[in-house]
Amino acid sequence: MRNILKAIIFDLDGTLLNRDLSLKNFVEHQYDRYDAFQHVKKEVWVQRFIELDERGYVWKDRVYQSLIDEFEVKLDRQVLLDDYIEGFQYHCVGFPGMVEMLNYLKEKNLKLGVITNGYERFQDNNIQSLKISHYFEVILISEREGIRKPNPEIFLRAANELGVKPEESIYVGDHPNNDIEACLNVGMRSIWKKDELYNQPMDSTWTIKELSEIRDIVARLELKKYD
């Protein structure tokens, strides 16, 4: 018999935050503000940035240095990096249905949390930009915690701070290994937010395309309590 659901914990990038669109918005805006880029076509610059970024797995100091070298940009990478750190938050876009879904979960008295890899200040700014921090009782950011997904400790820490058992929790994420496999390994159930660039995880408990589908999953689980 399954444990009653008490908490749902979310990944940030690619799950709540539409990072691909947010990054594109930021890079286009940054391009427009710097004359040093103008000898490169905008679409070329933006596409190359996105390629080098590797969906956030390459930190921007390396991305900017590669762009500077490749396109012979006469600008210090630190200037661009500082601009990215401060400016990205103003271009953050959540996935459709995010707020409605979070409101529904709070109405169901579920405890909510976030586990995300990344730099503390940067990720805190992005969460604030989405105006969703008040929904979460726990926000664990890898730099602040000194530990990163997929290490099981960060998942166990989140459950402990929420006052629930791992098996009373669901983790929602887009990465097959860092999110889905990792949370299953500590006894949590999982919701994989489908991403066409990743192969489907072998053992995800549920798969969704839209955040609104989480409401349906929770509603079905609620009905099962009375079976």
Side-chain angles (χ1 to χ4, degrees):
M1 179 177 172
R2 281 287 191 183
N3 285 273
I4 293 173
L5 177 64
K6 295 182 179 179
I8 299 185
I9 307 168
F10 294 87
D11 169 51
L12 180 62
D13 296 332
T15 300
L16 297 174
L17 172 69
N18 186 335
R19 188 184 178 278
D20 292 346
L21 179 57
S22 302
L23 182 67
K24 185 173 183 290
N25 289 345
F26 169 78
V27 176
E28 289 178 344
H29 188 257
Q30 188 182 54
Y31 175 94
D32 291 339
R33 291 184 289 109
Y34 282 92
D35 292 338
F37 304 156
Q38 301 306 310
H39 63 289
V40 184
K41 287 184 178 180
K42 185 175 184 176
E43 58 269 27
V44 173
W45 178 269
V46 173
Q47 183 58 39
R48 189 66 181 126
F49 190 110
I50 291 169
E51 290 170 357
L52 291 166
D53 175 70
E54 293 184 15
R55 309 201 87 194
Y57 286 94
V58 178
W59 184 233
K60 296 327 143 271
D61 56 350
R62 291 171 54 196
V63 172
Y64 282 121
Q65 191 59 59
S66 295
L67 289 167
I68 287 167
D69 294 342
E70 186 172 332
F71 295 115
E72 299 181 348
V73 174
K74 293 177 172 54
L75 204 59
D76 187 82
R77 73 175 183 183
Q78 193 61 45
V79 172
L80 298 173
L81 181 60
D82 290 344
D83 184 68
Y84 172 81
I85 292 169
E86 285 304 314
F88 184 87
Q89 62 188 298
Y90 302 113
H91 301 274
C92 288
V93 179
F95 281 104
M98 175 185 67
V99 170
E100 293 83 357
M101 177 270 299
L102 292 172
N103 281 332
Y104 174 84
L105 299 181
K106 292 303 284 187
E107 289 169 5
K108 295 297 180 182
N109 294 315
L110 291 167
K111 297 183 177 183
L112 304 181
V114 169
I115 303 173
T116 179
N117 287 344
Y119 291 98
E120 177 179 0
R121 176 181 162 199
F122 185 77
Q123 296 292 51
D124 269 335
N125 284 345
N126 294 343
I127 292 168
Q128 292 295 330
S129 176
L130 293 174
K131 297 181 173 58
I132 56 173
S133 61
H134 61 285
Y135 288 103
F136 304 111
E137 296 180 40
V138 167
I139 297 175
L140 301 187
I141 301 173
S142 63
E143 183 187 43
R144 182 159 62 214
E145 300 302 317
I147 196 166
R148 293 174 58 85
K149 297 183 296 182
N151 191 307
E153 177 57 33
I154 200 165
F155 294 91
L156 294 172
R157 190 175 298 177
N160 182 61
E161 291 188 16
L162 286 169
V164 300
K165 299 174 183 176
E167 55 268 28
E168 296 169 335
S169 310
I170 292 174
Y171 188 78
V172 186
D174 67 306
H175 196 284
N177 304 117
N178 292 346
D179 294 326
I180 303 308
E181 183 180 343
C183 79
L184 290 170
N185 284 340
V186 301
M188 292 180 176
R189 285 167 279 180
S190 67
I191 296 176
W192 180 51
K193 188 172 183 300
K194 190 172 184 179
D195 188 317
E196 299 295 343
L197 292 180
Y198 294 131
N199 293 324
Q200 181 161 354
M202 294 284 291
D203 300 316
S204 59
T205 315
W206 297 279
T207 297
I208 63 171
K209 290 184 178 179
E210 305 293 337
L211 290 175
S212 60
E213 295 174 66
I214 295 173
R215 299 169 60 171
D216 299 331
I217 292 169
V218 170
R220 291 198 300 270
L221 288 174
E222 193 171 46
L223 286 173
K224 285 185 178 181
K225 288 193 302 186
Y226 304 105
D227 287 351

